[in-house]
Every structure is written in structure tokens, then in C-alpha cells.
Amino acid sequence: MPEPPFFNIKLESLERNHTNISANIIVNTNLLEYKRNKYAPVRSLAEILRLHSYLQTVYPEYILPIPPYKSSKMDILARGIEKLFTRIASKTRLRTSDGVRQFIESEFAFVQTMPLRRQSKSLLASVIPGSSSKDVDPYFENAKFDEDSGFQLMQSWMRSADKLAKAYKDHSKSSYDLSSRLSNVEFNAAFVNQCCKRFAKSLQSVDDINSLQATYIGISFAESCHAHMCNCESAGISLSFRSEALSSYESACKITTKKVQAIERLKNGGNLRQEKVDSALEELSEAKKNEAESKEILKRMTDVLRQEYTRHDDTMHLDVVRDLSIFAEQQQNFAEREIRVLDSFLEQYSQSSTTPSS
């Protein structure tokens, strides 16, 4: 019994060398489109981003996660790359595409090539400049609004995280300065000296907690927001491609209508020349062909993108809820640690102040 077709691409590891990041990739497959069953290519982050750009241009109906290229945290970057690879493996048209095969099989650097279909579609869309779509689908209009709003929300969260991280850094610095001053000051009363030393030690612990919190908010949480921004951007690109496809179809319909009107004018003119009739009929046939092709592209994109966006919206919701839950847990954890430090100092101070002096 023949083995069912399979294709598995996974990120084995990420390596950072100064500003360069390389990905060790493992591919196992029995698809006939590939020359071998196993591959272990090493690709740079720039090459992975070029692959994403290529696939989103050739197959705009698929919403593909964008790896957060600005991330300095390897785990967030790895998660984004793994999501992209999972989407590629789950779609037959993607995993057997020329771009993916070149990305995996090439012994040299993967170089993006601009697809001809994308170029021809742009030419068709520019036949009637400034044409606007009247056949508005509320589903996709709401989707575009949601992605724009989501992008702006994540952007505002990133700015807030930056401000909050700065506040915690300032608080940490203040705690450190005060702790240093208290550690160096000396009083005549031994009890006062002892309290100052203990309080200085507590402030040092608070300083450490605030530094960790600033790092978490300024890097981990901010980069999670950036990853969500990338996903909103990817969905927005696919939705924009559908808008272009709709405009192209409407432009093609207008051209067909004009060709029909031209033939009607020839008929009503009375002085018919066979060569003019043949030319007009040929132009009408070409216009109808372009209209049919544009309609097919629009239908395919609409059908696939509706499913893709539903999946994307559900996944995005779960990811945001997860990251917000982690954020809340981290804030609670930091707060509880800080309270324990201060409670410990107050308890020691209370015990010291009630101890009878010798």
C-alpha cells in the first residue's frame, strides 16, 4: 500500500551572530515535486522574510504569519517562524510552490523572484485609474476595519509598554540610589544603623524586582505586541489584495461594456466594414476573456480568504488573550515579590523595636 503524501518543515534551532540570525531547518517529505526525502537547509532571517513576501504576493488569498523581524528575543522570533512553516505545510498549493521548493532545495541563497501573475493583475487594475468598488462585502469591510483597529491598538500598547518600562527603570534607579545612601550613612544609635542597613537591603531587592519588571515589559510584552502587529499587517495585505481583485474585475466589466457599445455603434452606423467588425469582435472576445479570468480570481480569493480570515481572527484572539493573561500573571508575581520584601523588613523592624535594649 503506497505511503500517503506528507510534508513536514520545522525549525530545528535559531542562532544569532551579532546582528545576523540564521535558522537551521529540517524538512521531511515524500512529495513528487521534491528531489529528495530529507533536507537540512540553513537560511537567514532575511531569506525567510523574502519567502513570506513571495508567497503573500503569489498566493494573497492565504494569510501567512510574518516573523517579527525586529524581535530581540529568540523565543518570540522562533514562534513566529514556526507558525509560518506550519501554515506552509498545511496548504498543498504553498508546500508545492516554486518558491518553497527553491527555498528548501537551493544550495545557495534563496532569492525572491517577482511572480508574473501579480504583475499582470496590477496592469489590469490600472486600466481604469481610480476605479472604486461598489460591490462591497460587509464581511471583508468589517475585517479591514478590525485589522486596522487591531494594528493601532497593538501600536498603542507598545508605546505604553515603553513608557511603563521607563518608569520602572527610573523607580529602580531611585531605589538603588537611596539604598546606596542608606548603606553608607552612620548614626550614633545602633538600632537606627541596623534599621537603615536592613531597609537598604530591602531597597536593593526592590531594585532587582523593578529591573526585571522593566525588562519584561519593555522587551517581552512589547515584542509580543509587535508580533501581533505583524499578524494584523499580514491579514491587511491579504484583504488589500482582494480589494484589488474586486477593482480589477469591475474594471474588466466596464471594458467589456464599452466593447459591446462599440459594436452597437458600428451596427447603427450603417457603413459596416468587415475588418472593423472583425477587429471589434476580437476586442470584445478578449475583454470577455479578461473579465472571466478576473471573476475567477476574485471568486477564488473570496472563498479562500473568508475561511483564512475566520481562522486568523480566532487564532489572533486566543494569542492576545494568552499574552494578556501572562502579562497579568507577571505583574501579580512582581507585586507579590515586592510586598514580601517590604513585609519582611517591617516584620524585622517591629521585632527590633520591641526588643528590650540591654
Side-chain angles (χ1 to χ4, degrees), residues 173-200:
K173 185 176 182 300
S174 299
S175 298
Y176 176 80
D177 291 343
L178 181 56
S179 172
S180 298
R181 291 174 182 271
L182 288 174
S183 297
N184 296 325
V185 73
E186 292 291 341
F187 294 93
N188 294 329
F191 170 72
V192 176
N193 279 328
Q194 186 181 34
C195 287
C196 288
K197 302 298 182 186
R198 287 176 177 173
F199 189 49

Side-chain angles (χ1 to χ4, degrees), residues 276-288:
K276 285 189 175 182
V277 173
D278 291 342
S279 176
L281 290 174
E282 184 178 347
E283 291 178 2
L284 176 60
S285 177
E286 184 67 22
K288 287 184 175 180

Side-chain angles (χ1 to χ4, degrees), residues 53-62 93-94 113-125 238 241-242 244-245 248 293-294 296-301:
S53 176
Y54 175 87
L55 292 176
Q56 189 137 54
T57 304
V58 181
Y59 306 101
E61 63 271 26
Y62 295 110
R93 297 185 69 206
L94 299 181
T113 55
M114 285 303 295
L116 294 178
R117 189 179 70 78
R118 173 70 178 95
Q119 293 174 347
S120 62
K121 188 163 77 68
S122 294
L123 289 174
L124 181 59
S238 293
F241 269 105
R242 184 195 171 274
E244 287 186 19
S248 296
E293 291 177 354
S294 299
E296 178 59 30
I297 291 174
L298 175 61
K299 182 180 184 304
R300 174 171 55 81
M301 286 197 65

Side-chain angles (χ1 to χ4, degrees), residues 7 71 124 154-155 192-193 233 239 251 255 285 322-323:
F7 178 89
S71 176
L124 181 59
M154 293 301 132
Q155 204 170 40
V192 176
N193 279 328
E233 181 183 358
L239 293 168
S251 297
I255 292 174
S285 177
R322 178 203 61 208
D323 288 340

Side-chain angles (χ1 to χ4, degrees), residues 63-90:
I63 299 177
L64 302 173
I66 303 178
Y69 49 90
K70 294 181 181 178
S71 176
S72 60
K73 287 185 67 66
M74 299 294 274
D75 58 334
I76 294 178
L77 182 57
R79 190 168 65 192
I81 294 174
E82 288 166 354
K83 284 184 177 181
L84 174 61
F85 287 169
T86 299
R87 292 296 296 151
I88 290 174
S90 67

